[in-house]
Amino acid sequence: MIQQKIKEIRIRLRCMSISAGRQLAYAVSVALLATVCKVAHADETADESSGFQLGGYASAGVTAPRKGNTEFNLNEISLMLSWDNNARLKFFSELELERPLSWNENKHFNNKNSYFDLERLYLDYNVSEKINIRGGRFLTPAGRWNLLHAAPLVWTGTRPLATNYLFPAAINGVMMHGTMPLKINGEEQSFEYALFAETLKDQDKEDDEIIYKNVAGAHFKLNNQFNLGLSLATFTEDRPDSPDYRMVGLDFITHVKGWEISGEGFQRFTSSGSNGGSGAYLQSAAPLGNNWYWLTRLETFQKPDVISGERWVLGLTKRITPTQLLKMEFVGGSDHFTDTPRGFMGSFAVLF
């Protein structure tokens, strides 16, 4: 029943996005969402008494690629509604309006790339302290970035290639997850697990998005000094003659003298054992003082017979407040990734 409702909601939202093709309609949508955000912030205390919480985030930025036109974009407006009254059952949803407005060098506003995306819609049931059951649409537990990709929660405006093209960002299905306390060599630690499986294939495709099916997998994480994670998954790309894939991934994040160092790596294999694609990144955030941070990221990515290359990102990020980030970065490397062009990117993100 939940999966059918998710399908119906996504189809309806897609129809809304298509029918609202005129600029005025999108302008009204943006204004409405902004108004709701203000109301949510103002009524936060009142919502707590009923168990409902309404929040979200937004980001805007400028892209100046080496090749092509400079663009100013309202990148996204995301609304998150949750319900938790300290009982066993919890609810969470996230509706996102992607790229509602753009302005190019021709001094024209457009919304041709705008669409609604139902990123998450699920119920959590707490069976015990160590077991929770989730059903609905949720982010795929693979690595770290995919689960924390909201603009105010990540250091850069560009997303690592390895986290974007090798596995589904979200699935419609069921998941069992939980956390168990551990003591290793006298040190208090914890172990997190997530076991998931797709029960309804994603029916909605955006632009060149890859649709996956038959998704299942697991993610395990040991919370200690290095926060080591292991990702395992199986799936098929929904295209003619696509093989079945097996994927393994590793991730970590640690802090050393104020520095944050993190990384992820993924390797896919086909059911016959051949290379199905791989990617990895290593990133550091170094404090400069006054809430400024210097960002460095090195990336590699390859997909057999499709695309391969390397990327580097150098940037500055200012944490204006705990919920506001100003980001500036230069992207270089291989000139094969058109959706993440080389050049300068600046953005501002706010969490509310």
Side-chain angles (χ1 to χ4, degrees):
M1 179 64 70
I2 293 177
Q3 305 302 331
Q4 184 63 31
K5 290 296 183 182
I6 292 173
K7 179 179 177 181
E8 293 176 358
I9 292 172
R10 287 179 60 80
I11 293 174
R12 290 176 184 174
L13 289 173
R14 181 60 176 165
C15 293
M16 289 170 59
S17 179
I18 295 173
S19 63
R22 297 181 180 179
Q23 294 182 1
L24 178 60
Y26 279 104
V28 171
S29 298
V30 173
L32 179 60
L33 285 172
T35 301
V36 172
C37 294
K38 292 180 180 178
V39 173
H41 182 73
D43 293 342
E44 183 177 357
T45 303
D47 289 340
E48 290 179 355
S49 62
S50 64
F52 283 99
Q53 290 288 324
L54 182 61
Y57 64 90
S59 70
V62 56
T63 303
R66 294 186 186 180
K67 301 177 182 178
N69 297 325
T70 299
E71 278 195 354
F72 297 87
N73 298 298
L74 180 55
N75 297 323
E76 62 209 342
I77 300 176
S78 179
L79 289 179
M80 293 179 285
L81 176 66
S82 62
W83 177 75
D84 179 5
N85 67 345
N86 297 318
R88 290 184 179 273
L89 192 64
K90 300 178 183 179
F91 167 81
F92 184 89
S93 67
E94 180 180 2
L95 174 64
E96 191 166 291
L97 178 57
E98 296 275 4
R99 296 177 64 88
L101 285 175
S102 298
W103 185 86
N104 55 34
E105 290 180 335
N106 296 323
K107 298 182 180 180
H108 290 152
F109 284 99
N110 73 79
N111 47 55
K112 62 182 180 180
N113 296 319
S114 300
Y115 61 93
F116 284 98
D117 183 24
L118 184 62
E119 286 214 339
R120 290 180 278 181
L121 178 67
Y122 60 79
L123 290 172
D124 261 335
Y125 183 75
N126 176 245
V127 179
S128 68
E129 293 182 356
K130 301 176 183 178
I131 300 176
N132 298 274
I133 305 297
R134 179 171 297 176
R137 180 168 180 81
F138 49 84
L139 298 175
T140 307
R144 294 182 54 85
W145 195 288
N146 193 58
L147 296 175
L148 299 173
H149 67 275
L153 302 180
V154 293
W155 289 110
T156 63
T158 54
R159 178 168 176 155
L161 301 168
T163 70
N164 215 22
Y165 300 108
L166 292 175
F167 55 84
I171 64 170
N172 307 317
V174 294
M175 177 169 68
M176 183 172 71
H177 64 99
T179 303
M180 294 178 286
L182 291 176
K183 180 175 283 190
I184 302 177
N185 296 327
E187 182 182 352
E188 296 291 342
Q189 303 180 23
S190 64
F191 175 76
E192 294 182 20
Y193 73 92
L195 309 174
F196 59 92
E198 180 188 51
T199 57
L200 177 66
K201 188 181 73 172
D202 199 343
Q203 304 294 316
D204 193 20
K205 182 176 181 180
E206 306 292 349
D207 299 327
D208 297 326
E209 178 188 7
I210 301 171
I211 299 296
Y212 297 86
K213 60 182 180 179
N214 305 324
V215 184
H219 184 259
F220 307 101
K221 186 173 73 169
L222 181 62
N223 294 311
N224 56 14
Q225 181 182 355
F226 296 99
N227 299 293
L228 300 173
L230 170 66
S231 300
L232 303 171
T234 64
F235 47 79
T236 304
E237 293 184 358
D238 193 8
R239 54 183 174 83
D241 302 320
S242 174
D244 296 329
Y245 290 101
R246 309 288 184 267
M247 186 187 77
V248 60
L250 295 173
D251 62 88
F252 79 96
I253 183 170
T254 188
H255 296 83
V256 181
K257 295 183 178 180
W259 285 55
E260 180 184 286
I261 304 173
S262 60
E264 298 182 45
F266 301 94
Q267 175 66 60
R268 302 196 318 184
F269 301 94
T270 65
S271 53
S272 62
S274 59
N275 181 18
S278 63
Y281 76 87
L282 181 65
Q283 177 175 282
S284 66
L288 300 176
N290 197 28
N291 292 322
W292 282 97
Y293 296 84
W294 176 258
L295 278 300
T296 305
R297 187 167 72 230
L298 301 176
E299 304 181 41
T300 181
F301 181 84
Q302 69 92 17
K303 218 173 180 184
D305 303 322
V306 180
I307 194 171
S308 63
E310 290 72 38
R311 270 279 192 258
W312 55 261
V313 178
L314 300 175
L316 282 170
T317 294
K318 167 74 169 180
R319 188 171 291 280
I320 302 173
T321 71
T323 59
Q324 298 178 11
L325 266 70
L326 176 64
K327 310 173 188 180
M328 296 171 285
E329 58 207 82
F330 290 92
V331 181
S334 305
D335 189 23
H336 304 313
F337 308 102
T338 56
D339 55 344
T340 54
R342 299 180 300 171
F344 172 79
M345 298 186 70
S347 63
F348 173 76
V350 58
L351 183 72
F352 47 81

